[in-house]
Amino acid sequence: MRQLTIIATSLWLGAMGFFAFVAAPVAFGVLGRESAGRLIAAVMPRYHWIGLALGILALCGVIGRWGRGGGRLLDRLAVVLVCLMLALTAYSLFVLLPQVDALRLALPPGRSAEALAVSPDAARFARLHMVSTGLGLAVMAAGICVVILEAVRRAEGSLTEG
């Protein structure tokens, strides 16, 4: 239980970083815009489900410590941050993704970038994509805070034991 939160959160951050900084840019660089969009649309639900599973594991790790002297401020803050990460990920999966998918499917294939730029659906798609990106960045920031809190908590624990 001691390492569960940091391992689950670190895996979640690693998956997010890989997707955002490697997989998505490569897909759009190698495949055509339409094919890359379909690929990313197919991956996104699985990506979010993995995040939810890792978030539940991280939450179990924090809550599991409470019976052994946990429940201090750092533990409560970690719970709040992991719950925030889970809530933002669930919102992305269950609210934003269906809206983005519906708009993506409504955009006619093969339209020029200029034609898409003036389309109201394209503008809404871009706004939702920006919101989704912002939520992903917030999840990453919260995850980094959780890892830092866990490191501080662990350092405090080793000082009191030694």
Side-chain angles (χ1 to χ4, degrees):
M1 279 292 205
R2 186 169 205 185
Q3 300 296 328
L4 186 58
T5 301
I6 200 159
I7 290 170
T9 306
S10 297
L11 286 171
W12 192 357
L13 287 169
M16 292 183 78
F18 177 80
F19 181 79
F21 301 113
V22 178
V26 167
F28 281 97
V30 172
L31 303 173
R33 183 180 180 98
E34 196 172 323
S35 295
R38 283 196 323 269
L39 173 66
I40 297 302
V43 170
M44 287 302 284
R46 292 167 180 87
Y47 164 81
H48 283 83
W49 279 111
I50 289 169
L52 290 175
L54 290 169
I56 290 168
L57 287 174
L59 189 59
C60 288
V62 176
I63 292 173
R65 287 197 304 263
W66 286 11
R68 291 178 277 138
R72 300 176 326 200
L73 176 62
L74 292 180
D75 293 324
R76 289 191 302 269
L77 186 54
V79 166
V80 168
L81 288 169
V82 171
C83 286
L84 175 66
M85 294 169 70
L86 285 165
L88 294 176
T89 301
Y91 181 78
S92 290
L93 176 62
F94 298 118
V95 176
L96 284 181
L97 276 183
Q99 292 177 23
V100 169
D101 284 342
L103 284 170
R104 183 182 55 78
L105 293 173
L107 293 173
R111 286 184 68 187
S112 68
E114 295 81 23
L116 287 176
V118 297
S119 164
D121 285 340
R124 185 152 188 260
F125 178 88
R127 278 193 306 276
L128 288 174
H129 183 269
M130 188 179 297
V131 169
S132 177
T133 301
L135 292 178
L137 290 172
V139 170
M140 290 179 92
I144 290 167
C145 290
V146 169
V147 171
I148 291 169
L149 285 172
E150 290 297 300
V152 168
R153 186 194 59 77
R154 186 157 188 209
E156 282 181 352
S158 64
L159 288 177
T160 58
E161 290 172 6

